Amino acid sequence: MNNAGNYKRIVVKIGTSTLTHETGKLNLHRIETLARVLSDIKNSGTEVVLVSSGAVTAGVAKIGFHRPTSTKEKQALAAIGQNEIMKIYGKFFSLYGHPIAQLLLTKDVIDAPARRALAEDTLEELLSMGCVPIINENDPVSCYEIEFGGNDRLSACVGVLCHADIVVNLTDIDGYYDSDPRKNPYAKMIPYVESVTDKMVENAGGAGTERGTGGMQAKLIAAQMLADAGIPMMIVQGTDPEVLYKVMDGSAKGTYFAGVAAK
Ligand code: GLU
């Protein structure tokens, strides 16, 4: 039912609310743990691609700006914050001996076959060079959050682009529930979903925190995009990135989407 134990290439997506404290500042302990665990997984022979959000929030924290309201504020803050997050990733990954590489994508690259093929080749080359590609949307020059519709969808595009064995979404909730657990105390977590139907997408909610953007709906759409390419996805609580070891051996608590397109 699940191909754990045989993942040769994984994409891990981490969202802003998982990367930052409630203050909006970077959660260094979590980022350090993430870098250590991903480095270790890489040492064990699995290629790792990281899709990381957090640019806008890190930009806000860096210059002490108010919560951005306009697109141009968000785009400028992303330009400031992207550098901040890469600096931190660079420090932690180099501590564990792994080079990183930044790749910033826009939707027009994914949609244009020739440019998409270039991005695919670059990604492949970076992996063969032994790097950990760290990917975000090129927010300062794209229609912010309009193009990909957030990093949940971006992570699905990346999963397809690099032919990943699984995309793991590290987030602030421990899985997909049959109703919103923030509103319904009886909501039940569903550990296995064969196919995501449009009805499930329709019924799903938005972001859980002010810092987060995607929410469950975007995650289900990402799972659908991946299913079209036969790639599974897993949603797990990202509070402790060590959970990735359990994803690797199939024992993680969370929701496993089998990567089967709905009929
Ligand atoms: N690309 C945005 C950022 O880095 C985040 C978008 C998202 O999390 O969906 O701030």
Side-chain angles (χ1 to χ4, degrees):
M1 129 176 160
N2 166 333
N3 200 24
N6 290 310
Y7 300 139
K8 292 279 161 251
R9 182 174 288 181
I10 60 167
V11 172
V12 174
K13 184 259 169 183
I14 185 153
T16 301
S17 58
T18 311
L19 275 177
T20 57
H21 289 288
E22 272 172 33
T23 57
K25 302 225 184 214
L26 292 175
N27 187 328
L28 296 174
H29 175 67
R30 200 167 286 159
I31 298 173
E32 179 170 20
T33 310
L34 177 69
R36 174 173 50 76
V37 172
L38 290 180
S39 296
D40 202 21
I41 288 175
K42 200 161 168 297
N43 286 349
S44 75
T46 296
E47 291 172 325
V48 168
V49 175
L50 178 61
V51 173
S52 177
S53 305
V56 175
T57 304
V60 170
K62 175 72 180 176
I63 64 167
F65 205 72
H66 57 75
R67 214 172 144 236
T69 46
S70 68
T71 300
K72 70 178 179 204
E73 282 175 355
K74 282 184 182 174
Q75 293 189 299
L77 289 161
I80 297 166
Q82 180 63 26
N83 178 52
E84 281 303 295
I85 53 177
M86 289 309 289
K87 216 167 60 186
I88 305 290
Y89 279 129
K91 191 173 156 61
F92 290 141
F93 274 101
S94 83
L95 185 64
Y96 298 110
H98 292 281
I100 59 165
Q102 172 179 263
L103 199 59
L104 300 175
L105 294 172
T106 44
K107 183 94 169 30
D108 55 348
V109 170
I110 299 295
D111 290 344
R115 300 183 69 200
R116 180 194 169 94
L118 282 175
E120 195 172 335
D121 285 353
T122 305
L123 203 44
E124 203 58 51
E125 196 60 30
L126 286 169
L127 289 167
S128 75
M129 287 172 170
C131 292
V132 178
I134 302 184
I135 302 180
N136 197 356
E137 183 165 355
N138 196 355
D139 294 317
V141 296
S142 64
C143 297
Y144 182 68
E145 278 168 31
I146 293 168
E147 296 204 334
F148 282 110
N151 279 10
D152 291 317
R153 275 178 255 214
L154 173 63
S155 67
C157 290
V158 170
V160 176
L161 199 65
C162 73
H163 313 281
D165 293 317
I166 189 166
V167 172
V168 185
N169 198 310
L170 290 180
T171 188
D172 54 10
I173 187 160
D174 58 0
Y176 167 66
Y177 283 73
D178 59 359
S179 65
D180 189 341
R182 289 164 296 176
K183 294 184 189 136
N184 177 6
Y186 301 106
K188 270 213 324 274
M189 209 268 274
I190 302 173
Y192 180 84
V193 175
E194 180 140 303
S195 303
V196 175
T197 60
D198 291 340
K199 187 98 201 129
M200 286 160 73
V201 173
E202 235 172 77
N203 291 341
T209 73
E210 277 193 356
R211 287 165 293 129
T213 50
M216 195 47 71
Q217 197 163 54
K219 289 170 183 53
L220 293 182
I221 292 171
Q224 280 186 323
M225 291 164 67
L226 286 162
D228 286 337
I231 300 172
M233 184 181 111
M234 191 153 188
I235 295 178
V236 285
Q237 169 79 259
T239 317
D240 181 2
E242 298 234 357
V243 71
L244 287 167
Y245 288 123
K246 295 191 171 165
V247 170
M248 294 302 288
D249 71 17
S251 66
K253 178 177 179 231
T255 301
Y256 180 83
F257 297 88
V260 177
K263 291 189 187 88

